[in-house]
Amino acid sequence: MGHPSNGSVENVFEDLKYGIIDIAGFGNIYSGCQMANLDAAWPEGVGVRIIDNVGKITVRNCDMEEVRCGVFGNNHRALDLFSNDIEALNYGINLYEGKRNVRIEDNVIAADDCIFIAASNNGNFPIDIKSNSLTPRSHGIYTGHINGKLNIEEANTIYMDHEPGAAHGIFGLLNSVPVVIKNTDLSFTDPDAAANTGITIMDCKNGQVVENTISGSSSNPYNLGLGIVGFNSPNYLYCCNELDDSQVGESFILMCNDNKIANTVFDDHYTALYLSHAVISPQINTGNDWTGATTTEDARYEGDFVLIPASLFEIDDDLVPSGHSKIFVPSGALPEDWFIFEGTDPICEDWTDEDEYCGKDPYFLVEDPNEFTALTSTDLAAIDPPQGSDTSAVLN
Amino acid sequence: MDPASSIEVNPNVKLTIKSQSVLHGCEYMWRGINLPGQARLEIDSSTVRDAHYAVRALHFSRIKLTASTFDANYIGVYIPPPTPPNVQNIVFRLNGSPNDIKDNYFGFLSAYLSPYSGQSPHPGSFRPMPGFS
């Protein structure tokens, strides 16, 4: 339907391959439609398929059940998708190769992948994902290869109750733009689930993960494998996140240089903070908090001990009640080489300076994000190893 | 409707179908209602069934569909995309109301009839294509 200001209101679509296909449309509004039993094999079975629109398309207040995919946008421009209720077999909302701004707000979605956005080239036109209630079986929100502004914030709620596991609340892959993930409430409710991850940031750079709450099942605290994972993702801010009931609270792997890990609140974990062959850059009085934590390991560094100074934690000892007794480092280093107890740490509310305020500046600490890269092996070779540590005080 | 038959709505003509009317094929599918350009169509409280394109509207045609059933058609409502984009070729807005397609049912209550000779694309034996395209 390629036409200005068309209205499709309160129509019922059942037992079809597609409900609506909109090609090259602009200004069209699909409101109050009911779609059911559109379960043809993907990529068919779509409630509203939008292709090459030249103006904004709106899908609102629609109720979709037993659809393969609720809304599928391809090579799309502006989209406004809000207040829809989607029960999909594969995708709730799948957007591919978008070019303009998108609002996804106040939707209730249950699907394998509730919101799936890939290969977007939206530049300065933001994708805003706000206040959605998601129950995924695989990914709550998947974002991959995004080249444009992406904001996942303002109270998205993700319920992970899928038993087989290996599911992700939010998964970011190869995003090189200032993605903001803020104020998400992520809960893993099925005590039999396992190997799930709350927020995964993989091969991304220049983003923020702030003020999120991630919790596993209290009856099986470790059904959530990992709360937050940063994998090979430099220049990320992780600030004021609250983590509870997971095998590992927060984990960083490989080159995560110039990350800032601030005011994380750890609760019940086997290992609260886990670094694997990681470089995250020194964390000097950034206010991470183990005071209420119940852990076997407050922190563990896995990898070559010579890299530890590049991930130093300088912290007020009041925030780590167990001291060095639950800090584990590889052979050749001491816990004291990694955690140095001195200074005073801020609380979340203290982040008021504009340059460092938690979650305020998407380009935090970097003036030109385009020039920012992960450390190289040459950079790593220049790191001074820990001084005075030649014994294996704590073994892996 | 006979096999491969159609209803052609000429330019500057308005066709109204209402009051529980039922348009359907018998043994084979039919082509449907075609608005080649600058025509008007209103369907209210009626049924269009067994067509290749139940409604096919082109070039400044106007349609208003309300409280009707579109069943076992290959495509319910087909409006080709404008060429080039941004060229307005269909006007949906009737009497200032945006609700030009409202309270209709698009579905598959009946099985497909056999395709008419030369029908392309062949509808297959499975579910119809979209309600709207």
Side-chain angles (χ1 to χ4, degrees):
Chain A
M1 297 180 72
H3 327 287
S5 302
N6 294 323
S8 169
V9 179
E10 298 171 5
N11 296 288
V12 176
F13 301 84
E14 282 185 345
D15 302 315
L16 304 165
K17 287 185 178 178
Y18 300 92
I20 295 168
I21 297 179
D22 186 314
I23 302 174
F26 61 104
N28 297 338
I29 298 172
Y30 304 110
S31 176
C33 294
Q34 296 181 48
M35 300 182 174
N37 203 21
L38 311 182
D39 58 355
W42 176 253
E44 296 177 337
V46 180
V48 181
R49 182 167 183 180
I50 302 163
I51 306 168
D52 299 333
N53 60 304
V54 293
K56 186 170 77 175
I57 303 296
T58 300
V59 181
R60 67 187 184 204
N61 300 316
C62 290
D63 190 348
M64 306 183 191
E65 293 181 359
E66 291 293 311
V67 296
R68 186 66 58 186
C69 175
V71 179
F72 179 28
N74 180 209
N75 198 36
H76 62 84
R77 288 175 176 77
L79 299 177
D80 202 1
L81 314 174
F82 66 95
S83 298
N84 300 290
D85 192 335
I86 302 173
E87 290 184 23
L89 299 170
N90 291 152
Y91 301 102
I93 294 170
N94 182 326
L95 305 180
Y96 185 71
E97 294 184 330
K99 294 180 171 62
R100 287 292 187 273
N101 48 304
V102 175
R103 177 173 72 130
I104 302 173
E105 186 167 349
D106 283 329
N107 299 287
V108 178
I109 303 174
D112 285 350
D113 297 319
C114 290
I115 298 173
F116 184 99
I117 303 175
S120 183
N121 195 23
N122 52 299
N124 285 323
F125 298 95
I127 299 171
D128 292 314
I129 302 174
K130 299 177 180 178
S131 303
N132 298 285
S133 179
L134 310 176
T135 305
R137 292 180 289 272
S138 184
H139 297 95
I141 300 172
Y142 174 98
T143 62
H145 298 264
I146 305 296
N147 183 22
K149 289 184 178 178
L150 173 61
N151 304 308
I152 302 170
E153 54 185 328
E154 292 188 27
N156 290 290
T157 303
I158 305 177
Y159 304 98
M160 310 291 291
D161 62 357
H162 183 50
E163 187 169 325
H168 300 267
I170 298 175
F171 190 92
L173 174 67
L174 285 163
N175 299 318
S176 59
V177 292
V179 174
V180 177
I181 301 172
K182 184 175 182 179
N183 196 18
T184 304
D185 187 349
L186 246 160
S187 60
F188 290 73
T189 53
D190 190 327
D192 296 322
N196 293 302
T197 304
I199 296 174
T200 302
I201 306 297
M202 181 176 286
D203 292 320
C204 300
K205 59 182 180 180
N206 311 326
Q208 302 179 17
V209 178
V210 298
E211 297 176 9
N212 300 287
T213 301
I214 304 174
S215 60
S217 164
S218 58
S219 63
N220 180 4
Y222 305 138
N223 74 329
L224 173 56
L226 301 158
I228 293 175
V229 181
F231 183 97
N232 210 40
S233 296
N235 197 38
Y236 248 80
L237 170 65
Y238 299 87
C239 186
C240 298
N241 296 296
E242 294 187 26
L243 310 175
D244 191 11
D245 290 328
S246 59
Q247 183 83 14
V248 174
E250 202 161 27
S251 177
F252 298 92
I253 303 165
L254 300 178
M255 293 302 104
C256 296
N257 47 291
D258 289 81
N259 274 202
K260 186 171 186 176
I261 320 299
N263 294 95
T264 309
V265 177
F266 297 104
D267 200 322
D268 188 4
H269 314 280
Y270 184 84
T271 302
L273 174 68
Y274 179 78
L275 271 59
S276 177
H277 305 274
V279 170
I280 62 172
S281 297
Q283 308 296 315
I284 308 301
N285 296 113
T286 53
N288 298 296
D289 186 354
W290 281 261
T291 55
T294 304
T295 68
T296 302
E297 301 176 348
D298 282 344
R300 171 176 285 275
Y301 191 96
E302 195 94 46
D304 192 331
F305 76 93
V306 301
L307 297 178
I308 287 179
S311 301
L312 186 72
F313 278 77
E314 195 171 293
I315 184 170
D316 186 339
D317 60 358
D318 286 346
L319 294 175
V320 192
S322 298
H324 288 117
S325 66
K326 292 184 179 180
I327 308 295
F328 296 82
V329 294
S331 298
L334 295 169
E336 292 86 336
D337 296 324
W338 190 19
F339 275 64
I340 297 172
F341 296 133
E342 62 182 41
T344 303
D345 290 54
I347 60 175
C348 275
E349 289 74 15
D350 289 340
W351 294 112
T352 55
D353 183 271
E354 284 198 357
D355 293 333
E356 292 190 303
Y357 173 58
C358 175
K360 185 167 186 178
D361 181 3
Y363 297 89
F364 86 102
L365 301 178
V366 174
E367 291 185 0
D368 185 354
N370 294 319
E371 294 182 356
F372 199 88
T373 57
L375 293 180
T376 65
S377 57
T378 304
D379 298 323
L380 297 179
I383 295 172
D384 292 330
Q387 300 300 307
S389 301
D390 57 1
T391 58
S392 302
V394 179
L395 301 177
N396 291 321
Chain B
M1 304 297 296
D2 287 339
S5 63
S6 65
I7 296 173
E8 299 290 321
V9 187
N10 291 331
N12 303 313
V13 171
K14 177 183 176 183
L15 171 65
T16 300
I17 299 169
K18 60 182 182 179
S19 304
Q20 314 297 328
S21 298
V22 179
L23 303 179
H24 64 93
C26 294
E27 191 174 351
Y28 295 92
M29 297 183 78
W30 60 297
R31 293 181 192 273
I33 303 168
N34 189 33
L35 287 70
Q38 296 183 325
R40 296 177 65 178
L41 172 67
E42 291 190 20
I43 301 178
D44 179 64
S45 302
S46 296
T47 296
V48 182
R49 209 170 65 204
D50 311 321
H52 193 193
Y53 299 95
V55 175
R56 186 170 184 267
L58 296 83
H59 306 306
F60 297 98
S61 294
R62 298 183 176 194
I63 62 176
K64 182 176 184 180
L65 313 175
T66 51
S68 294
T69 296
F70 297 84
D71 176 30
N73 304 295
Y74 177 65
I75 291 178
V77 178
Y78 178 70
I79 301 153
T83 305
N86 280 325
V87 174
Q88 175 182 342
N89 70 344
I90 300 292
V91 178
F92 271 81
R93 188 180 293 272
L94 297 178
N95 300 322
S97 168
N99 302 330
D100 305 313
I101 302 178
K102 183 175 182 181
D103 292 333
N104 301 289
Y105 175 87
F106 295 85
F108 202 30
L109 299 171
S110 313
Y112 270 146
L113 295 182
S114 299
Y116 56 80
S117 177
Q119 184 171 341
S120 179
H122 193 286
S125 57
F126 300 106
R127 292 181 175 182
M129 290 294 279
F132 295 173
S133 180

